[in-house]
Amino acid sequence: MSNHRTNQDRIVGNSVPRKEGRDKVTGRAQYIDDMVLPNMIFGATVRSQIARGKIKKITFPPEINWNELTVVSAKDIPGKNCIALIADDQPCLADEIVNHPEEPILLLAHPDRYALRKAVDSISIEYDSLPAIFTIEESERRSQIVWGTDNIFKTYVIEKGDVESVWKKADRIVEEEYATGAQEQLYIENNGMIAAWDPQHGITVWGSLQCPYYVHKALMALCDLPAEKVRVVQMETGGAFGGKEEYPSMIAAHASLLAIKSGRPVKIVYDRMEDMAATTKRHPSRTRHRTAVSRDGKILGGEIEFTIDGGAYTTLSTVVLSRGAIHAGGPYYWPNVRIRAKAVATNAPPHGAFRGFGAPQSLFAMERHMDRIAQVVGISPIEIRRRNFLRPGQTTTTEQIVHEEIDLPQLLERALQLADYRSKKKSFAGENKSGTSKRGIGIAAFLHGAGFTGSGERYLSSVVGLEGCADGGVRVLVSSTEFGQGTKTVLCQIAAESLGVAYEAVSIAQPDTLEVPNSGPTVASRTAMVVGKLLESAARGIKQTLTLSGRLHDSYSPDEFREACSSYVAEHGPFRSLARYDPPTDIFWDDEKYRGEAYAAFAWAVYIAQVTVDLATYSATVDDFVALQEIGRVLHPVLAKGQITGGVAQGIGFALYEKVIWQNGRMQNGQMTNYIMPTSSDLPPIRVFFEELGNVHGAFGAKGIGELPMDGPAPAIINAVEDALGIHFNSIPLLPEDIFDAITSESQLASAPRSSGQEDSGT
Amino acid sequence: MRSDPGNYELVAPASLQAAVALMAKTPGLWLPIAGGTDVMVQYAAGKLPARKLVSIWNLPELRRIEISADEIRIGAACTYTDLREHSVVCGEFPLLASAARWTGGVANQNRGTLGGNIVNASPAADSLPALLVYEAELILVSVRGERRLPYVGFHTGYKETKLAPDELIQDICLSRRFSEYFSHARKVGARNAQAISKVCIAALGRVAGGAAEDVRIALGSVAPVPVRLVETERAAKGNPISSSLLLEARKTAAAEIQPIDDIRSTARYRTAVAANLVAEFFERMRSNAEAKS
Amino acid sequence: MIHSSAHVTKSEITLTVNGESRTVRAYPMERLLDVLRNQLGLTGAKEGCGEGECGSCSVLMDGALVNSCLVPVLQATNASIFTIEGLAEGVDLHPAQEAFLQCGGAQCGICTPGMILAAQHLLSKNPEPSGEDIREGVAGNLCRCTGYMQIFEAVAEAARRRNKVTAKTT
């Protein structure tokens, strides 16, 4: 190591000030709606009012002076009419056919936003309606083919061992079906973009987004422009959670088309109603488990069928499906398993990325199912998990060998103690015999893979840069975006630590495709681990440049570095060190068979939820929440904790509050007053604990943590509700009305086995 | 923002007299706006039919609370915060204080007004059941003068009231005779704050010798207007608070309401919860009385 | 012009913003939020929902926390409006801002200006709030990033810092 720091001086592992924090607490941070360009006009979208049909006629009423407006239709698209992403099936503007409510058809722009609104409202569109489908089951029935030849976007099969051999060996076969609903990301900043066009430089867009190079790719195809004539700049982004992964490409496309046609900068900022109605949500899912177990609760094998509703176009459904399928087996050892995964089409607006990306759906099923198996076998929720946990050296469902020295029984035990699980479980079972409320406690054990799946990182081939600056400081150049998680802070910490300079000596460029290399999208819990690791390499390049020039010795102080760097820049100009992802040679992944090393690292967790169900109102409230996780290395304790508490809060919403009410593919409750996210008065103390095993593939041992906390809360909570009431609930969100229906249906009550009173084998 | 501000007129008369004079010129033309917590929401959504608005937010005549020996008079433009922070309201009319605390968050409590809550006439409004059980009276004002009428019956149907098109609510009057009553309020919403009630209850009672001497129960969100459970009260009055009374009260209460299925809940759920809340009130009142005796 | 249907004229409205008297020409029904953002260039207040539900447009009006999306600007005539931009003094952050920075109370930052003003409003009325008081004080300000825990810590820390300052000066 090149510097002489004590532990206290270390930058990584300390809660340094957030890089952009000062701008945020003073209100100076510039979000897209805060930005104004000279001569700028406003853009808006005319959308489909029906779920499926042919566009027959569009009427522009004469009382509007259409000369004042810029009007764009599919015919104005210079390149390909699609939002290029994975499959190029989603049009930028519907041409003849609409496939979901709120599908964009026309774009309008006007200098006055109120006049614009009036013009949008004035347009009437006649359709020849076609029959539409709205559920997984309707899609499977294929009475209407709304996508491709069979309504199926993608299927995967993961197969390990010989599942057919297990059924006759089984002492018990446990079958159950689970379902999860759509969930709105509900970032507090609505989506928005500004586009400006000039024939010489091409198109520039600024916006609220996660993935500058996704937008870049989409605009190149849409506008038929070379890479250098498309520039994408991320503004400060007010929350994303996956909700600004793919849809910003659509809005950027719309703003660009209007800017090209009008010759003026165009701003499109959605209001909440439009954002909720038109943009993506978490995929609704259905998971069926059929599991063969031995008398003592060992999983012998099983089939898992995981199906998600992708909505009308492919968007990211294939990838969400893949992650959901790979996580479907949970942190357990399956000697034999077959996972069949399928993404189907319906006539809802496309569902998309949302923190967890399929895993919260399939893990909800897995962790509810573990409690179910425990009941059937007659052992405790603790014991069923302990007997089936993956251990180092064993293989996952994709036959990835667990190399990490993770001790899941110990992790579980620690969580139980932190939550005071055993004594609570006992006392609740006693209290619940009488009283007007019932309490319960539930467990979820889970894992989350960090980074892109399988060969994903190899294909991405991310590049990062570091730049030596004139003042002797260093600037991080990455396309990784900050939207609350702390990207800027953590990457600067990693760079500073790697270079042996002060945190304050490192700055980070605003993501701008003109300036920063493509370090991949900011998704999949990959930034700290993968991009951070690359920065370590880039730092070596910077040091090497300075050392070779004779300005720096092997051992140096931060001041010596600053002098060396500024003197080098004075002579040679600013210099950069780039580092490209170098795939580990020992990682094997078979994309055909879906077998091998799915992720370079997993984070592991045990969450425990305590709930009260009020029998007067039938509402379940979370009273206490313990979140214990192993995440490699904590780079920034305050930020890491904030990621967990935030994810848990969204998970509590997913479980108990947040229900999208659909009618013919359209969201009925698309306002903050009736789409219910938790307020500060609805959350329990969320108690966060970490374990750190390190990770050779991550910067300073880090693993990804962004998505992990979304996976565990829902099953832990519903397991706790079952512990309280003795009623199975297999679908979420679980609202008071659902609990009421179940409590008042006596047959349910009679058939529900109670798990309380069963002892685990103890410690 | 889905409305064009250029299409909406807003005036702010300097006095109550000027406000009602303006409203009298073309009755029904001018929509009063106080704290805007309802009107501005409709306006932003592009759903406000009125094009002319008269601001009564800053009228001192409507923003005072007057206390006399037997009555408290609350100006119609007093905010929830005004109510929450007022010692007589908190001490003698806790049902109203709780309703004020449960309506919206702090910012909306700083702007939302009691008069606005009444005139907006939402069946889910949290303060209205409290006004029903306290048997509030309203003083309405117009150029024609003042008139005083009981609050009960003020709502004539869903979002309809007895207010004449040129009238404003001036005061809400509460008789100071309930300080010795046991009171019970509960709001059941989709979450603990910032929620519109699925069901809410405000109830008062007095127990003597184990029997319910006086009982007043009102519910919100279970009918087109907030309702007083007259039959349930009658069934309870004079009877000991026993398990058979609880059963009877549940049944009668469920029969007295007409809840609906809507985006927030179901009729079945609302009926069951309403019955539970009524039973809960009697149980709490009984244990309170037992604790005292 | 399309918006020629507008028959209302703009009026001159004077209000005090962050201690400075400002006069704007606006339609009386323009939202205070839009006037602050579009005319006065004070973009710290954000529109999250436009219906008074999320609190990200919170400002102080005559000392009271309000949702500026629900205030017609005419009602702010002669009022004293305080926005997030008025909180820091020069380069020195206000103790509440320091506390939010230190405790992780700001993640994406979009709710932060409103949240800090809600905290300020709470502390001005209740200098030593309990945990419950804090939860209630910010219940009208939705945050999707933090799960609120670090916001509670930040408000408690702001109270400590504030009381320390007060203790010093008295």
Side-chain angles (χ1 to χ4, degrees):
Chain A
M1 204 37 217
S2 51
N3 49 354
H4 330 274
R5 283 210 182 91
T6 65
N7 276 340
Q8 279 128 355
D9 303 330
R10 274 184 71 103
I11 297 163
V12 162
N14 274 320
S15 294
V16 297
R18 200 178 245 287
K19 273 288 168 198
E20 78 296 353
R22 216 185 148 83
D23 284 344
K24 284 179 174 171
V25 299
T26 54
R28 278 200 300 262
Q30 288 286 297
Y31 300 79
I32 188 63
D33 201 21
D34 303 335
M35 179 172 166
V36 177
L37 289 178
N39 210 26
M40 187 178 82
I41 61 177
F42 299 96
T45 314
V46 178
R47 298 177 180 280
S48 167
Q49 296 302 303
I50 64 164
R52 184 165 173 243
K54 290 197 175 83
I55 299 169
K56 221 163 74 180
K57 190 181 170 198
I58 300 179
T59 311
F60 296 84
E63 64 267 22
I64 303 281
N65 180 0
W66 293 99
N67 292 330
E68 289 179 6
L69 285 129
T70 304
V71 181
V72 163
S73 73
K75 297 180 181 48
D76 294 298
I77 295 171
K80 202 174 164 198
N81 182 9
C82 75
I83 302 302
L85 185 60
I86 293 171
D88 293 347
D89 62 332
Q90 184 180 27
C92 171
L93 291 170
D95 200 354
E96 289 164 4
I97 303 273
V98 292
N99 283 308
H100 65 83
E102 312 297 341
E103 183 161 8
I105 297 172
L106 292 174
L107 305 168
L108 305 181
H110 191 281
D112 181 280
R113 62 179 99 202
Y114 304 116
L116 175 65
R117 176 94 231 154
K118 195 172 169 188
V120 168
D121 292 341
S122 78
I123 291 179
S124 62
I125 302 178
E126 286 171 50
Y127 309 87
D128 278 329
S129 279
L130 292 167
I133 54 174
F134 302 110
T135 62
I136 288 173
E137 287 71 24
E138 284 178 317
S139 183
E140 287 175 331
R141 251 176 260 139
R142 295 184 202 166
S143 56
Q144 290 296 318
I145 299 297
V146 302
W147 194 90
T149 55
D150 55 5
N151 290 342
I152 296 176
F153 292 124
K154 183 80 181 175
T155 58
Y156 294 107
V157 180
I158 296 172
E159 195 143 20
K160 175 185 178 187
D162 177 10
V163 178
E164 296 315 323
S165 71
V166 302
W167 307 117
K168 49 185 180 296
K169 288 189 234 158
D171 294 315
R172 298 294 182 90
I173 294 173
V174 187
E175 280 186 80
E176 205 77 46
E177 181 176 307
Y178 305 90
T180 63
Q183 186 186 19
E184 165 61 35
Q185 294 89 355
L186 213 72
Y187 31 71
I188 306 294
E189 181 207 26
N190 291 310
N191 270 290
M193 288 281 166
I194 295 176
W197 162 255
D198 87 74
Q200 202 190 341
H201 298 101
I203 195 83
T204 303
V205 300
W206 297 260
S208 181
L209 55 95
Q210 280 178 249
C211 309
Y213 279 95
Y214 280 7
V215 178
H216 191 260
K217 174 181 168 175
L219 292 181
M220 281 168 61
L222 180 90
C223 302
D224 194 21
L225 288 169
E228 66 276 12
K229 287 213 165 177
V230 176
R231 178 182 173 201
V232 180
V233 186
Q234 187 223 7
M235 297 295 286
E236 203 66 72
T237 295
F241 318 113
K244 293 171 184 173
E245 179 168 347
E246 71 273 39
Y247 206 86
S249 297
M250 176 72 82
I251 308 170
H254 292 169
S256 298
L257 293 173
L258 286 167
I260 292 170
K261 191 155 183 189
S262 67
R264 294 171 70 171
V266 174
K267 179 191 263 191
I268 298 179
V269 172
Y270 289 176
D271 67 9
R272 181 60 59 183
M273 288 188 276
E274 183 171 20
D275 197 296
M276 297 263 258
T279 74
T280 60
K281 302 184 175 33
R282 182 185 301 289
H283 290 73
S285 79
R286 182 194 68 202
T287 307
R288 290 177 175 147
H289 273 268
R290 181 164 186 251
T291 315
V293 287
S294 69
R295 191 166 291 111
D296 60 355
K298 277 259 190 198
I299 294 174
L300 305 174
E303 283 187 302
I304 306 173
E305 189 198 299
F306 176 61
T307 309
I308 60 174
D309 169 0
Y313 298 108
T314 312
T315 64
L316 291 166
S317 290
T318 56
V319 204
V320 170
L321 183 71
S322 144
R323 186 170 285 263
I326 291 170
H327 286 75
Y332 304 109
Y333 176 62
W334 294 78
N336 305 283
V337 72
R338 185 187 299 128
I339 302 169
R340 292 175 191 275
K342 180 170 68 177
V344 302
T346 62
N347 296 109
H351 296 297
F354 189 166
R355 194 179 208 167
F357 214 68
Q361 290 96 314
S362 64
L363 282 166
F364 169 73
M366 184 71 250
E367 279 304 277
R368 282 292 294 135
H369 197 58
M370 287 308 275
D371 269 29
R372 183 69 183 139
I373 295 172
Q375 285 171 357
V376 170
V377 175
I379 60 176
S380 73
I382 300 172
E383 205 44 47
I384 189 69
R385 289 178 171 82
R386 196 157 27 207
R387 289 182 192 172
N388 290 289
F389 273 144
L390 271 170
R391 281 156 214 269
Q394 288 183 328
T395 58
T396 66
T397 54
T398 65
E399 296 181 51
Q400 170 167 3
I401 299 167
V402 178
H403 291 296
E404 298 163 65
E405 286 303 313
I406 184 69
D407 183 349
L408 289 170
Q410 177 275 330
L411 198 72
L412 172 63
E413 187 52 40
R414 187 178 165 208
L416 295 171
Q417 286 177 16
L418 289 165
D420 198 12
Y421 177 92
R422 289 188 182 85
S423 72
K424 279 182 175 170
K425 176 118 177 151
K426 208 167 174 181
S427 68
F428 294 166
E431 289 168 19
N432 286 349
K433 286 173 189 146
S434 59
T436 55
S437 61
K438 310 272 181 211
R439 294 204 280 175
I441 190 160
I443 304 169
F446 55 102
L447 76 177
H448 199 100
F452 263 40
T453 304
S455 331
E457 292 295 344
R458 194 186 301 253
Y459 293 136
L460 275 180
S461 193
S462 299
V463 179
V464 307
L466 282 173
E467 184 179 70
C469 306
D471 63 356
V474 172
R475 200 159 71 115
V476 176
L477 305 169
V478 291
S479 65
S480 307
T481 49
E482 167 70 56
F483 38 88
Q485 350 78 299
T487 298
K488 287 184 173 174
T489 307
V490 168
L491 294 182
C492 288
Q493 279 180 289
I494 291 168
E497 187 81 42
S498 307
L499 289 166
V501 302
Y503 171 68
E504 293 70 26
V506 181
S507 62
I508 184 162
Q510 191 65 20
D512 174 344
T513 56
L514 207 61
E515 272 225 71
V516 300
N518 186 353
S519 36
T522 307
V523 301
S525 311
R526 65 183 291 276
T527 301
M529 186 176 105
V530 179
V531 179
K533 189 77 181 170
L534 290 178
L535 281 174
E536 286 186 38
S537 310
R540 281 193 290 276
I542 291 276
K543 284 192 282 195
Q544 199 176 24
T545 302
L546 296 178
T547 316
L548 288 177
S549 78
R551 288 176 170 85
L552 206 59
H553 300 294
D554 284 346
S555 175
Y556 57 85
S557 71
D559 284 345
E560 286 163 352
F561 179 93
R562 192 181 59 237
E563 278 162 35
C565 180
S566 65
S567 116
Y568 185 94
V569 176
E571 192 175 324
H572 302 284
F575 65 109
R576 288 182 173 192
S577 161
L578 297 179
R580 180 179 290 276
Y581 181 75
D582 187 11
T585 47
D586 56 345
I587 285 191
F588 159 80
W589 175 257
D590 182 338
D591 249 334
E592 291 294 304
K593 294 192 170 134
Y594 246 59
R595 188 180 295 169
E597 310 262 319
Y599 299 101
F602 288 97
W604 309 86
V606 177
Y607 285 6
I608 297 183
Q610 180 191 321
V611 306
T612 300
V613 182
D614 184 326
L615 296 183
T617 64
Y618 313 100
S619 60
T621 312
V622 185
D623 302 325
D624 186 32
F625 201 97
V626 166
L628 170 64
Q629 47 259 305
E630 189 288 313
I631 61 161
R633 201 67 80 210
V634 177
L635 301 181
H636 188 298
V638 167
L639 291 180
K641 192 176 164 200
Q643 281 299 291
I644 304 302
T645 53
V648 168
Q650 290 177 355
I652 291 173
F654 185 42
L656 295 178
Y657 296 95
E658 299 179 31
K659 180 170 186 166
V660 176
I661 300 170
W662 297 102
Q663 194 176 56
N664 296 331
R666 177 174 276 121
M667 185 180 187
Q668 297 300 294
N669 54 332
Q671 288 168 283
M672 280 188 167
T673 45
N674 46 31
Y675 181 81
I676 305 298
M677 69 162 265
T679 70
S680 60
S681 297
D682 297 294
L683 296 173
I686 300 169
R687 302 192 279 139
V688 180
F689 305 92
F690 294 112
E691 297 211 346
E692 302 174 82
L693 287 178
N695 165 26
V696 292
H697 300 293
F700 294 95
K703 296 175 181 174
I705 60 166
E707 295 172 287
L708 176 81
M710 189 71 222
D711 297 341
I717 289 165
I718 306 304
N719 286 343
V721 172
E722 174 159 6
D723 184 46
L725 296 176
I727 303 176
H728 308 310
F729 293 101
N730 285 353
S731 107
I732 50 169
L734 180 67
L735 301 187
E737 286 77 2
D738 304 315
I739 296 179
F740 165 70
D741 287 342
I743 284 181
T744 50
S745 115
E746 283 170 337
S747 55
Q748 250 284 13
L749 268 178
S751 73
R754 289 302 310 261
S755 62
S756 52
Q758 293 151 353
E759 293 301 314
D760 62 281
S761 66
T763 53
Chain B
M1 242 297 271
R2 298 193 169 187
S3 291
D4 180 350
N7 290 333
Y8 293 83
E9 204 168 325
L10 172 66
V11 295
S15 67
L16 180 60
Q17 202 186 3
V20 293
L22 177 72
M23 291 174 70
K25 270 192 210 157
T26 326
L29 184 65
W30 293 88
L31 177 74
I33 174 173
T37 51
D38 286 307
V39 172
M40 292 299 283
V41 175
Q42 294 175 47
Y43 167 68
K47 291 178 182 162
L48 184 66
R51 287 292 183 273
K52 289 176 184 288
L53 296 100
V54 51
S55 174
I56 54 170
W57 168 247
N58 273 335
L59 297 180
E61 300 93 325
L62 299 182
R63 189 81 192 266
R64 58 191 175 201
I65 298 180
E66 286 176 354
I67 310 291
S68 62
D70 51 5
E71 187 172 88
I72 171 170
R73 272 191 192 203
I74 301 167
C78 284
T79 64
Y80 298 108
T81 303
D82 295 340
L83 299 176
R84 285 186 65 175
E85 292 179 350
H86 197 277
S87 60
V88 176
V89 173
C90 292
E92 297 178 32
F93 302 96
L95 296 175
L96 189 56
S98 321
R101 188 156 67 82
W102 293 335
T103 304
V106 173
N108 286 337
Q109 291 167 14
N110 282 338
R111 289 274 291 167
T113 65
L114 185 56
N117 211 218
I118 298 171
V119 174
N120 185 52
S122 161
D126 294 317
S127 67
L128 305 185
L131 298 184
L132 279 179
V133 297
Y134 289 131
E135 292 182 348
E137 296 192 330
L138 305 178
I139 297 176
L140 310 183
V141 62
S142 70
V143 285
R144 294 170 284 124
E146 290 180 13
R147 59 175 177 140
R148 183 163 171 146
L149 74 172
Y151 167 65
V152 63
F154 180 73
H155 301 293
T156 52
Y158 179 71
K159 294 254 173 190
E160 288 172 4
T161 71
K162 286 183 179 166
L163 199 69
D166 64 343
E167 266 181 328
L168 287 171
I169 300 180
Q170 180 180 286
D171 293 293
I172 296 93
C173 310
L174 302 175
S175 167
R176 300 179 68 182
R177 59 195 156 99
F178 298 106
S179 55
E180 299 304 311
Y181 275 67
F182 171 78
S183 66
H184 178 67
R186 188 145 180 210
K187 167 176 178 148
V188 180
R191 59 186 168 199
N192 287 332
Q194 297 267 91
I196 296 169
S197 289
K198 295 177 181 178
V199 184
C200 59
I201 186 172
L204 286 173
R206 217 167 44 199
V207 177
E213 191 185 52
D214 188 9
V215 177
R216 296 141 177 275
I217 308 168
L219 296 175
S221 259
V222 294
V225 298
V227 287
R228 180 101 182 251
L229 301 187
V230 184
E231 296 300 324
T232 311
E233 292 176 6
R234 190 174 301 148
K237 244 179 243 177
N239 290 318
I241 309 176
S242 61
S243 50
S244 70
L245 172 65
L246 256 57
L247 203 65
E248 176 70 18
R250 279 175 176 279
K251 260 195 239 159
T252 319
E256 270 190 281
I257 57 178
Q258 307 95 41
I260 56 164
D261 288 342
D262 64 11
I263 203 166
R264 277 185 282 279
S265 191
T266 64
R268 255 168 54 77
Y269 172 85
R270 287 181 159 120
T271 304
V273 172
N276 291 347
L277 297 185
V278 168
E280 185 180 75
F281 158 64
F282 282 109
E283 282 171 339
R284 299 250 168 114
M285 182 162 71
R286 179 177 57 190
S287 16
N288 180 66
E290 284 166 1
K292 274 186 178 168
S293 62
Chain C
M1 290 292 285
I2 297 175
H3 46 288
S4 60
S5 64
H7 57 276
V8 177
T9 50
K10 292 188 176 183
S11 30
E12 297 218 328
I13 294 163
T14 301
L15 61 169
T16 303
V17 181
N18 297 330
E20 238 179 276
S21 174
R22 306 293 293 262
T23 299
V24 296
R25 273 190 63 77
Y27 293 115
M29 274 295 276
E30 271 183 65
R31 304 181 302 176
L32 176 60
L33 172 66
D34 296 326
V35 172
L36 290 171
R37 291 178 54 84
N38 302 336
Q39 285 204 43
L40 300 176
L42 297 170
T43 55
K46 310 294 184 189
E47 173 167 342
C49 67
E51 54 178 354
E53 194 74 13
C54 74
S56 50
C57 67
S58 301
V59 302
L60 300 175
M61 181 158 100
D62 293 327
L65 189 75
V66 300
N67 290 313
S68 63
C69 75
L70 298 185
V71 178
V73 67
L74 186 75
Q75 289 190 340
T77 304
N78 297 328
S80 172
I81 304 295
F82 202 82
T83 72
I84 190 70
E85 288 89 349
L87 208 52
E89 289 189 23
V91 294
D92 292 333
L93 292 181
H94 184 276
Q97 292 170 315
E98 294 273 9
F100 269 72
L101 261 188
Q102 177 195 322
C103 300
Q107 285 193 22
C108 83
I110 198 82
C111 76
T112 307
M115 196 66 83
I116 291 178
L117 289 173
Q120 258 308 93
H121 180 256
L122 171 69
L123 298 180
S124 70
K125 291 191 149 191
N126 180 358
E128 289 177 42
S130 67
E132 264 316 297
D133 295 338
I134 293 173
R135 280 175 180 264
E136 194 183 330
V138 300
N141 294 75
L142 299 181
C143 169
R144 189 60 156 171
C145 291
T146 61
Y148 303 104
M149 299 300 132
Q150 291 175 326
I151 289 174
F152 301 156
E153 288 172 30
V155 179
E157 174 64 20
R160 277 191 293 274
R161 284 170 182 253
R162 189 185 148 99
N163 296 339
K164 224 185 261 172
V165 173
T166 319
K168 264 187 207 159
T169 53
T170 49

